[in-house]
Structures are given as structure tokens and as C-alpha cells.
Amino acid sequence: MGSDSALERTVEKIIHNTEEQILSNLKEALKSSQDALANSHVSLEQEYDRIISEGKKEAEKLEKQIIGNADLDSRNKQLVLIEESIEKVFDKAIKKIQDADRNSDYSKLISSMLEESIRTIGTPDIIIQTNSKDKSVVQSLLSKFSGATLSNDVIDCLGGIKVQSKDGTMKFDNTIDARLERLKPLIRKDIASKFGR
């Protein structure tokens, strides 16, 4: 009986020690897991912040890109509209010139063109070409420009004159068409500035 009791106590002691060891091991494992979890929580938060920060940067970059593309698209459409408007202005101006009366004001214009042409080529001995509409206007001015001759050939233009020296060495295109082409960039710039370009 006594030896059984001693054996039971021994077994209980072993069981107790084993339980304590197991509990101790479990506590250590729990502590280790909690520490690992706490450490990983910090790194996960850092990773989360990094992903959010990069996402914001990417979103800002995309936003700028979208706004930039929209601005560029809008600017291109604006330029197309301005160009179309400028062309309409030129078309209207050309139509007005074509339909203009060859009155005294027009005669003064042709006279100033003749003076300018003679100055430009440096001789009054010139041959003048013009279109059929302006021929009579030029003819009526010839008496003011000794040395000037009106060619029988007519040219295709809105108005104005083409002049060449009688020796053929100098030529000057002083038609309205040529003047318009020379002034077009300035006129275009002026019109465009009125549209805020």
C-alpha cells in the first residue's frame, strides 16, 4: 500500500512537472508569437504607408497627365478654330477686293503702287502688267509716269501691278495678291492676337 502511494506521488509529481514545462513552453511560444506579430505589425504599417504614398504619387502623376492632355487637346481645337476663322477673314477680304470699285481711291492706290515699284527697281523706264479690270486705271495714270509703258498682256490677279525694267533685269511683283502674301503673316498674327492666341 505504501509503495503504491509513493508511486502515485511520483507519477503526480512527474505529471505536474510536465504540465508546468508544457505551460512554460506554451507561454514562451505565445510571447514569441506576440513579439513576432508586434514586429510584423510595424513593418506591415510601413509597407501600407509606402503603398499608399506611391499610389498617391501615381494618381497625381496620372491626374497631371490627363489635365495636360486635355489642355493640349483643347489648345489644338482652339488653334484649328482660329485658323478657320483667319481663313474666313482672308476669304472675305479677297472677295471685297475683287468686288471693289475702280474709283478714285483705287486709282490713288495704283498710283502709289507705281511710285513704290519705280523706287524699288530703281528706274522709271518700266513695263507694267495688270489684270483686265485695272488696265484702264493704269492707262489713265501713265501720263504721270514718263518712261512707263503698259503691256498688252494681262495677268491673273486680284488687282495691282507687276513691273519690270525695260532692259528686263529688274522685276517687282506689286499685285494685291503678292502684297497680301507678304503681309499675311503679320495680318494672321494680328487676327490671332484678337482671339487671344
Side-chain angles (χ1 to χ4, degrees), residues 17-165:
N17 287 343
T18 303
E19 281 177 354
E20 283 187 351
Q21 185 64 44
I22 290 170
L23 283 175
S24 174
N25 289 343
L26 284 174
K27 282 180 184 175
E28 282 179 23
L30 178 62
K31 174 94 170 62
S32 176
S33 296
Q34 286 174 333
D35 290 347
L37 186 61
N39 290 337
S40 67
H41 184 71
V42 170
S43 67
L44 281 174
E45 280 185 348
Q46 288 172 344
E47 183 66 10
Y48 173 81
D49 290 343
R50 188 186 64 76
I51 290 170
I52 293 296
S53 174
E54 286 180 2
K56 282 182 181 175
K57 284 180 187 172
E58 189 64 26
E60 287 171 2
K61 188 176 158 187
L62 282 173
E63 184 182 6
K64 284 179 184 174
Q65 199 172 7
I66 289 167
I67 290 171
N69 287 341
D71 283 347
L72 189 63
D73 188 44
S74 170
R75 178 97 176 132
N76 286 339
K77 285 178 180 172
Q78 185 184 15
L79 290 175
V80 168
L81 284 174
I82 289 172
E83 281 302 315
E84 287 174 359
S85 298
I86 289 171
E87 285 305 315
K88 283 180 186 173
V89 169
F90 278 128
D91 290 345
K92 281 186 180 177
I94 288 169
K95 180 83 173 99
K96 275 190 175 180
I97 292 167
Q98 283 172 333
D99 297 341
D101 287 337
R102 271 40 183 177
N103 56 21
S104 60
D105 287 337
Y106 193 80
S107 181
K108 285 179 189 171
L109 172 67
I110 295 295
S111 181
S112 69
M113 284 177 160
L114 278 164
E115 289 170 1
E116 181 186 30
S117 300
I118 288 169
R119 271 198 316 274
T120 301
I121 67 172
T123 177
D125 296 325
I126 55 171
I127 300 170
I128 307 161
Q129 288 183 301
T130 189
N131 65 14
S132 57
K133 245 180 160 178
D134 291 356
K135 206 162 183 175
S136 62
V137 178
V138 174
Q139 185 69 51
S140 69
L141 294 169
L142 285 181
S143 60
K144 293 184 188 173
F145 300 93
S146 63
T149 307
L150 179 60
S151 169
N152 289 327
D153 298 330
V154 290
I155 56 174
D156 183 24
C157 65
L158 292 170
I161 53 173
K162 274 187 181 176
V163 172
Q164 75 172 45
S165 60

